[in-house]
Amino acid sequence: MENRQVVRRKIRFRMRYYPLEEMDNARPKDATVVDLSDGGIRFETGEKLHVGTRLKLDFPDAPPDNQGSMRDAGIVVWSIQPVPQTALFRIGIKYI
């Protein structure tokens, strides 16, 4: 059983991200948000991100009723590859 202080809402929409440390040289990468809360999001993408990586987040396709709870920066708190040999990673982000 999970012990969360905030409620997560399942949802799916596209987003973009890039590392804050590479803002001048980075191109945004695509991902799909799979759930969100007031404290962070979980998304799926084609690359593994290291815990501690700070990201700039962009949500151009977010439903209007969810935009107020999302922030434009976060830090990777976990990153997993649920199915080995598959280019899909799930990333947990805490807003900063």
Side-chain angles (χ1 to χ4, degrees):
M1 180 174 162
E2 293 186 54
N3 186 14
R4 296 195 177 273
Q5 296 178 352
V6 291
V7 176
R8 289 208 168 265
R9 296 178 303 279
K10 293 186 184 216
I11 191 165
R12 288 190 76 85
F13 61 88
R14 290 180 343 114
M15 65 167 281
R16 291 186 297 240
Y17 68 92
Y18 53 91
L20 282 171
E21 290 78 16
E22 301 172 15
M23 279 181 57
D24 295 334
N25 301 325
R27 296 181 70 196
K29 297 183 181 176
D30 293 321
T32 301
V33 174
V34 295
D35 67 37
L36 58 91
S37 73
D38 289 340
I41 62 170
R42 177 173 52 163
F43 67 85
E44 295 177 338
T45 190
E47 70 174 335
K48 181 172 179 66
L49 297 173
H50 297 287
V51 171
T53 303
R54 295 171 0 119
L55 300 176
K56 169 76 173 149
L57 308 171
D58 183 28
F59 305 102
D61 296 334
D65 58 333
N66 289 306
Q67 291 177 352
S69 64
M70 295 181 293
R71 303 215 174 69
D72 65 354
I75 187 166
V76 176
V77 292
W78 56 267
S79 178
I80 64 168
Q81 184 179 20
V83 180
Q85 290 82 37
T86 310
L88 179 70
F89 295 86
R90 291 194 181 133
I91 312 296
I93 298 292
K94 178 181 176 184
Y95 295 131
I96 54 174

